[in-house]
């Protein structure tokens, strides 16, 4: 059973979980909630900017109640469980443009789409 599923089992509904989080972290109904993975000292600049804009941080790692979730690893995000209005700092299945291997493969396949020489602009 996943951590997210176990967390969700603690509450009868997402609304109950959200109400609990808002009480615990002193967030009013209109304030946006964010979670930053890695503890209180991670990504301090992002945290400070969000707090200055009136966002409220919660530190419940397995909760799916957030407006923004900032993580180090893509695997920390349950992409299929996201609501349309939730923001995360990763894109699902983005290895084609974010890894050296993915970029190299894309450049090699470029000849199928254009007469460009991948070696002319990439070693």
């Amino acid at each position: 059973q996943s951590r997210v599923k176990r967390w969700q089992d603690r509450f009868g509904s997402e609304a109950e979980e959200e109400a609990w989080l808002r009480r615990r972290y002193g967030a009013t109904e209109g304030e946006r909630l964010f979670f930053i993975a890695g503890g209180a000292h991670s990504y301090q600049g992002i945290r400070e900017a969000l707090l200055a804009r009136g966002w409220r941080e919660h530190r419940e790692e397995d909760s799916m109640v957030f407006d923004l979730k900032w993580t180090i690893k893509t695997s920390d995000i349950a992409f299929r469980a996201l609501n349309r209005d939730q923001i995360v700092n990763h894109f699902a299945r983005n290895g084609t443009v974010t890894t050296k291997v993915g970029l190299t493969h894309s450049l090699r396949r470029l000849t199928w789409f254009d007469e460009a020489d991948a070696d002319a602009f990439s070693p």
Side-chain angles (χ1 to χ4, degrees):
Q1 191 176 25
S2 74
R3 291 183 346 214
V4 171
K5 178 70 174 131
R6 284 193 308 269
W7 176 262
Q8 290 170 339
D9 287 345
R10 290 181 56 191
F11 301 96
S13 68
E14 186 175 311
E16 284 182 29
E17 178 184 355
E18 182 174 353
W20 179 83
L21 280 169
R22 289 188 180 284
R23 279 191 310 275
R24 180 167 184 174
Y25 292 96
T28 63
E29 188 66 32
E31 290 177 310
R32 300 183 88 183
L33 295 170
F34 72 94
F35 171 80
I36 296 178
H41 301 293
S42 299
Y43 300 105
Q44 200 58 37
I46 293 167
R47 176 177 284 103
E48 290 170 4
L50 290 168
L51 293 171
R53 289 168 173 80
W55 290 58
R56 287 291 186 147
E57 180 176 15
H58 77 70
R59 297 206 171 116
E60 306 302 326
E61 180 179 3
D62 296 329
S63 174
M64 285 299 294
V65 175
F66 58 83
D67 294 294
L68 169 68
K69 184 172 188 175
W70 195 276
T71 69
I72 296 170
K73 300 181 297 186
T74 304
S75 60
D76 288 338
I77 300 169
F79 286 99
R80 293 178 184 220
L82 291 175
N83 294 326
R84 295 180 65 83
D85 58 341
Q86 289 179 303
I87 302 167
V88 294
N89 68 316
H90 292 278
F91 296 98
R93 298 178 301 280
N94 66 353
T96 302
V97 294
T98 61
T99 65
K100 292 177 202 172
V101 170
L103 285 171
T104 301
H105 287 298
S106 294
L107 289 171
R108 296 289 172 226
R109 289 189 297 258
L110 183 62
T111 58
W112 290 98
F113 303 101
D114 198 332
E115 293 183 22
D117 178 13
D119 292 322
F121 57 91
S122 174

